[in-house]
Amino acid sequence: MFILSNGRYKSVVHRAVVNKDAMRISVVIVNGPSLDTIVSPAPELLGSEGHPPAYISMKYKDYVELQQSIKLGKSSLDQLRL
């Protein structure tokens, strides 16, 4: 969301509350474009003032690989900033 909106909209950090009285089950569902899709800031969200893109364009596959290579708690966005 952050790259697509050129930094305008931020994603929230997922947080869960543990309940000691009841079991909690989490299910991971991966949702995204095809791996060959180019991910970049949407031209419509760059603004009429002509704001330049703040992030590089890259294949979604490369973005996922970059995310998986970063240590937990760190952001891959810093490596994608122009």
Side-chain angles (χ1 to χ4, degrees):
M1 180 64 78
F2 202 68
I3 293 173
L4 182 66
S5 71
N6 204 40
R8 188 176 292 180
Y9 302 108
K10 297 181 180 179
S11 298
V12 296
V13 176
H14 173 75
R15 297 178 185 195
V17 177
V18 179
N19 182 341
K20 66 178 181 172
D21 298 323
M23 182 172 32
R24 181 176 184 270
I25 298 174
S26 296
V27 177
V28 175
I29 299 173
V30 179
N31 186 14
S34 75
L35 294 176
D36 290 329
T37 300
I38 300 296
V39 178
S40 64
E44 305 85 24
L45 297 177
L46 293 178
S48 58
E49 299 85 31
H51 295 291
Y55 298 93
I56 63 171
S57 298
M58 65 188 323
K59 283 187 177 183
Y60 185 64
K61 175 185 177 185
D62 298 331
Y63 175 72
V64 171
E65 289 173 355
L66 175 65
Q67 273 191 315
Q68 297 301 314
S69 70
I70 302 293
K71 289 184 178 180
L72 194 60
K74 299 218 178 205
S75 173
S76 58
L77 292 174
D78 293 335
Q79 295 184 16
L80 302 174
R81 237 180 271 282
L82 290 173

